[in-house]
Amino acid sequence: MSYFESRLKININDFAEIERKLKFCQELRITNLILEPKNDVVKLNSELKQRISKISTINLYYRINLRPNSLNDLKKRIQHYNNFSDIISVESMDKNIQIQAAKDSRVDIISFSDQNVIKTISPGIISLTKQNRSFIEFSLAPIMARNQIIQSKYLRSLYRAVQLAVQLKVNYIISGNFDDLFKLRHPRALISVCHTLLGIPLLSAKKVFSENVLTLINRVQARQDKNIIESGVKLLNEGEL
């Protein structure tokens, strides 16, 4: 089974840092990686992607994370991503932004990775995400916090949120989302954390880092296929079965 780290932030203005991170991931034998630019980047150009791809043999994918400061800000910024080829996630404590993002087919992920944002998750948002066949995201980075009080509070919030996602049968992924290079772990280690601390059955935990991420990537790729009318509905060309 092929596993993913679904969120590794990179500074596109520091190519040496990108190189260090990718080589470290390769030493950890991480084979699939989704990169997210910092710097409030709107889009990554193909030249930069090609340059990054030459650093390692890791299978690389890309995502853009939007942190809009208002509903109007989200509506304005999302216009840049019609028929976009990379993953789009939205992260906000604002319920109205979450609702709008969950309804928008251009948004692939509603992220609850932040220790404050995760407190705002609700059955309503999960239901909207499920209707649109998009994804909820959680991250493990905050449970590595040195402050044990913060660590404990986040772990409780994360446990409740994950159990709610499981109960409501929504698509979800879990990323490491580690900024510190030396906190990076292979997804197999993160699977054990999810199984032990979050009560996710082992097989389900494996899918969170593998099959679920592949489904997410397929969703994004399907946007590029003009013959796909909606999820699960495709126009066949003559000769196709």
Side-chain angles (χ1 to χ4, degrees), residues 145-185:
R146 291 185 178 181
N147 187 312
Q148 291 187 350
I149 295 175
I150 293 174
Q151 183 187 69
S152 179
K153 285 182 178 179
Y154 179 77
L155 184 56
R156 288 196 297 271
S157 296
L158 179 59
Y159 179 85
R160 287 194 294 267
V162 168
Q163 293 302 315
L164 184 61
V166 171
Q167 178 185 348
L168 297 178
K169 299 179 180 179
V170 71
N171 293 326
Y172 74 100
I173 61 171
I174 298 178
S175 59
N177 193 26
F178 299 113
D179 280 329
D180 186 339
L181 187 66
F182 297 103
K183 287 183 179 178
L184 279 168
R185 299 290 186 273

Side-chain angles (χ1 to χ4, degrees), residues 79-224:
Q79 297 303 316
H80 295 288
Y81 302 105
N82 295 323
N83 201 35
F84 191 54
S85 60
D86 295 327
I87 297 164
I88 292 293
S89 61
V90 171
E91 195 165 14
S92 174
M93 294 178 63
D94 188 318
K95 293 279 189 182
N96 292 323
I97 291 175
Q98 292 174 9
I99 290 169
Q100 181 64 32
K103 290 178 177 179
D104 196 312
S105 61
R106 291 167 292 191
V107 177
D108 304 296
I109 300 171
I110 311 297
S111 182
F112 292 91
S113 300
D114 183 90
Q115 58 190 8
N116 293 314
V117 176
I118 197 169
K119 298 174 185 176
T120 66
I121 195 168
S122 67
I125 293 298
I126 290 178
S127 178
L128 283 173
T129 306
K130 186 175 180 179
Q131 289 174 33
N132 199 32
R133 295 183 176 89
S134 50
F135 284 73
I136 296 289
E137 177 187 37
F138 306 113
S139 291
L140 296 176
I143 68 173
M144 296 286 199
R146 291 185 178 181
N147 187 312
Q148 291 187 350
I149 295 175
I150 293 174
Q151 183 187 69
S152 179
K153 285 182 178 179
Y154 179 77
L155 184 56
R156 288 196 297 271
S157 296
L158 179 59
Y159 179 85
R160 287 194 294 267
V162 168
Q163 293 302 315
L164 184 61
V166 171
Q167 178 185 348
L168 297 178
K169 299 179 180 179
V170 71
N171 293 326
Y172 74 100
I173 61 171
I174 298 178
S175 59
N177 193 26
F178 299 113
D179 280 329
D180 186 339
L181 187 66
F182 297 103
K183 287 183 179 178
L184 279 168
R185 299 290 186 273
H186 191 281
R188 286 194 190 91
L190 304 183
I191 287 167
S192 296
V193 170
C194 292
H195 177 55
T196 305
L197 297 183
L198 302 178
I200 304 175
L202 188 57
L203 182 58
S204 296
K206 289 180 178 180
K207 288 181 178 180
V208 165
F209 290 89
S210 57
E211 292 178 23
N212 290 14
V213 188
L214 283 172
T215 301
L216 168 64
I217 290 169
N218 289 337
R219 167 195 163 91
V220 176
Q221 292 176 342
R223 275 204 299 262
Q224 309 304 304

Side-chain angles (χ1 to χ4, degrees), residues 46 75 138 146 221 228 240:
S46 58
K75 291 178 178 179
F138 306 113
R146 291 185 178 181
Q221 292 176 342
I228 294 180
E240 279 190 298

Side-chain angles (χ1 to χ4, degrees), residues 31-50:
T31 55
N32 301 286
L33 193 57
I34 300 177
L35 301 178
E36 177 189 308
K38 302 176 184 178
N39 322 83
D40 216 19
V41 172
V42 176
K43 293 180 182 179
L44 284 171
N45 62 58
S46 58
E47 290 81 7
L48 179 61
K49 288 181 180 179
Q50 289 175 4

